Amino acid sequence: MVIMQLVTSVDELREILQSLRDKQLTVGFVPTMGALHEGHLTLVQRSVRENDFSVVSVFVNPTQFNNKSDLEKYPRNLTRDAELLQKVGCSLVFAPEVAAMYTPDELSNPFEFDFAGLDQVMEGRFRPGHFNGVVQVVSKLFNLVQPTRAYFGEKDFQQLAIIRRMNSVLKMGVEIVACPIVREPSGLAMSSRNERLTSQQREIASGISKVLFECRTFVPGKSPFEVKSWVESRINSIEGLRLEYFEIANITTLQTAESWDEPTVGCIAVFCGDVRLIDVIQCS
Ligand code: PAF
């Protein structure tokens, strides 16, 4: 078994990756905020299959949290994460301190990126500044790692669309690989936040994907507007869940879909207790 490297210094990371590029090796990259679950490991396994060398970053990025207590409560366990990554064949874990990634000035002044409207809907409406922080950190990480391919889960559908735009506007030339959502046997989409749910809440939260799967059976009989209203009232009728939004959106523009003739996804954000969960389903 290859021994995985654990790197915290930007200079060391640069040096290792330069030597790989000199040998014309392909590099797969999976950016994460740690608290790894099966969903992350599936991305890493795919990277390991498709590249000579796989880098995983574990960095809880402060600039993408618009809620301080969410940042503080974010689960962190690098030792466990590193053990899991070693088992799936990851070559290198990059786990920098905040000071290695940001100057104090960057932490206090919001970074801005032109999203062409992609950030004005869904997550962007409820988490102002979130995607600026995501682009800020992912652009830094792409610059450092210069991967051949980077792997992202489709659960964060809006994030994926935004990363694609960033990669194209900034001419980064990375192949962005979208990977399907991994679900628990109950249907609940895997997320690091699930760790914060009690076992009773986990059961309640499995209602989210059940409602999403059922709503698909109404396509194309009901209009997108009718399906949206149905999902809203079903989720709100489940005790323990509080809907933040459900939108049926065009998969490219992320704007509200008017008909099933366009390719669409249903994107949802729901609170179960104080844990905010998101999920996505393909509709048409
Ligand atoms: O999806 C995540 O975990 C984060 O948004 C990412 C892409 C690692 C950036 O911090």
Side-chain angles (χ1 to χ4, degrees):
M1 187 192 281
V2 182
I3 300 297
M4 186 180 76
Q5 291 166 280
L6 177 60
V7 173
T8 55
S9 134
V10 164
D11 290 342
E12 193 188 348
L13 179 73
R14 275 216 183 92
E15 209 174 296
I16 295 170
L17 287 162
Q18 187 56 52
S19 74
L20 297 169
R21 278 192 294 276
D22 291 346
K23 294 183 200 138
Q24 315 273 310
L25 296 178
T26 55
V27 175
F29 178 46
V30 184
T32 81
M33 297 204 299
L36 303 180
H37 51 70
E38 212 36 55
H40 294 114
L41 299 179
T42 307
L43 304 183
V44 181
Q45 281 163 327
R46 182 151 174 201
S47 170
V48 169
R49 276 200 308 277
E50 297 178 353
N51 301 280
D52 298 314
F53 193 91
S54 288
V55 177
V56 175
S57 60
V58 174
F59 178 65
V60 182
N61 173 36
T63 67
Q64 71 188 75
F65 285 81
N66 49 337
N67 176 336
K68 260 212 156 74
S69 89
D70 213 16
L71 171 62
E72 278 153 19
K73 283 188 207 154
Y74 204 86
R76 293 162 170 89
N77 191 342
L78 183 58
T79 309
R80 178 182 168 274
D81 289 343
E83 278 166 18
L84 293 171
L85 290 170
Q86 165 79 59
K87 282 192 193 135
V88 292
C90 167
S91 324
L92 185 151
V93 182
F94 177 54
E97 294 292 333
V98 172
M101 292 297 285
Y102 293 117
T103 60
D105 192 49
E106 284 176 302
L107 288 172
S108 48
N109 294 311
F111 171 92
E112 282 185 17
F113 179 75
D114 174 12
F115 294 95
L118 290 175
D119 64 328
Q120 298 299 309
V121 293
M122 303 189 286
E123 291 298 285
R125 267 180 57 218
F126 292 93
R127 304 178 72 187
H130 167 69
F131 288 120
N132 280 305
V134 170
V135 168
Q136 185 179 27
V137 76
V138 176
S139 58
K140 277 179 193 266
L141 290 166
F142 274 19
N143 276 333
L144 287 171
V145 178
Q146 296 181 31
T148 318
R149 301 181 185 86
Y151 297 79
F152 292 88
E154 285 181 335
K155 179 166 77 70
D156 294 292
F157 198 84
Q158 192 169 3
Q159 168 171 282
L160 181 58
I162 281 171
I163 300 287
R164 285 192 197 285
R165 175 171 166 81
M166 174 201 83
N167 187 49
S168 137
V169 169
L170 301 181
K171 310 263 179 279
M172 292 178 140
V174 178
E175 185 186 328
I176 306 293
V177 184
C179 303
I181 295 180
V182 180
R183 297 183 180 278
E184 297 190 359
S186 68
L188 177 65
M190 288 205 181
S191 162
S192 306
R193 289 163 193 246
N194 295 356
E195 278 186 29
R196 289 172 49 207
L197 298 171
T198 63
S199 56
Q200 195 199 2
Q201 283 177 323
R202 260 177 199 250
E203 212 174 300
I204 295 171
S206 70
I208 302 169
S209 58
K210 292 194 177 80
V211 171
L212 293 185
F213 286 127
E214 196 178 342
C215 89
R216 269 211 306 216
T217 64
F218 303 134
V219 179
K222 289 183 191 288
S223 69
F225 180 76
E226 287 167 325
V227 173
K228 174 176 155 74
S229 307
W230 182 85
V231 169
E232 287 170 347
S233 69
R234 278 303 301 270
I235 292 288
N236 283 329
S237 72
I238 300 176
E239 204 176 321
L241 296 185
R242 183 166 56 81
L243 181 72
E244 191 165 69
Y245 69 79
F246 174 67
E247 292 293 341
I248 298 177
N250 178 291
I251 62 164
T252 312
T253 64
L254 302 185
Q255 304 306 307
T256 303
E258 304 293 337
S259 91
W260 302 122
D261 294 339
E262 42 187 320
T264 59
V265 280
C267 300
I268 196 164
V270 180
F271 279 95
C272 183
D274 68 345
V275 184
R276 187 174 184 277
L277 302 169
I278 59 171
D279 201 344
V280 178
I281 196 140
Q282 192 184 345
C283 293
S284 60

